[in-house]
Amino acid sequence: MQIQVVKSKIHRVKVTGAALNYIGSITIDEDLMEAANIIQGEKVQIVNNNNGERLETYCIPGPRNSGEITLNGAAARKVAVGDILILITYATMDIEDAKVYKPALVFPDEATNLLK
């Protein structure tokens, strides 16, 4: 049996931008992506703590050490600059592997979105 489990989580980052007229995606500081083991183009679930919205998109790397978290395209309508998000990726694996798998959990500085 295969199940989906949390692969990565970036917990409580602040939205720094919303670019409606972009082709789509979420731009994430590349340092945060690396720390969370998230790759360019990977599907990301976005949970907005301010308004309860949940959506999925793919990620693209932003400048390193910038703290950038920008929602692009239609997703920009689901956030406001300053909203607090949780970003989650999932992996499908055998149930026995899932029992011992340890996800990459990242807790950046909430004020700057930078790694502590």
Side-chain angles (χ1 to χ4, degrees):
M1 177 188 315
Q2 299 254 302
I3 63 170
Q4 285 192 329
V5 297
V6 173
K7 175 187 153 279
S8 310
K9 180 166 100 167
I10 302 174
H11 191 74
R12 297 186 62 86
V13 286
K14 190 180 300 183
V15 174
T16 60
L20 183 61
N21 294 314
Y22 189 84
I23 59 173
S25 67
I26 181 172
T27 304
I28 304 171
D29 178 323
E30 194 167 4
D31 285 341
L32 293 175
M33 286 178 61
E34 201 169 85
N37 194 28
I38 298 172
I39 63 167
Q40 181 173 344
E42 187 169 355
K43 182 166 82 170
V44 177
Q45 181 182 46
I46 301 164
V47 180
N48 187 326
N49 282 5
N50 290 79
N51 63 19
E53 289 281 355
R54 287 178 173 255
L55 61 118
E56 292 179 341
T57 190
Y58 62 95
C59 60
I60 58 175
R64 286 187 179 278
N65 202 36
S66 66
E68 181 176 359
I69 301 291
T70 300
L71 277 290
N72 303 307
R77 293 202 183 272
K78 303 289 187 177
V79 300
V81 171
D83 282 358
I84 300 297
L85 308 179
I86 299 171
L87 310 177
I88 309 165
T89 65
Y90 298 89
T92 302
M93 61 183 72
D94 180 81
I95 194 164
E96 293 306 316
D97 292 334
K99 288 178 182 179
V100 296
Y101 180 75
K102 302 290 186 233
L105 306 175
V106 178
F107 299 89
D109 182 286
E110 278 192 52
T112 64
N113 291 343
L114 300 177
L115 296 172
K116 294 180 185 179

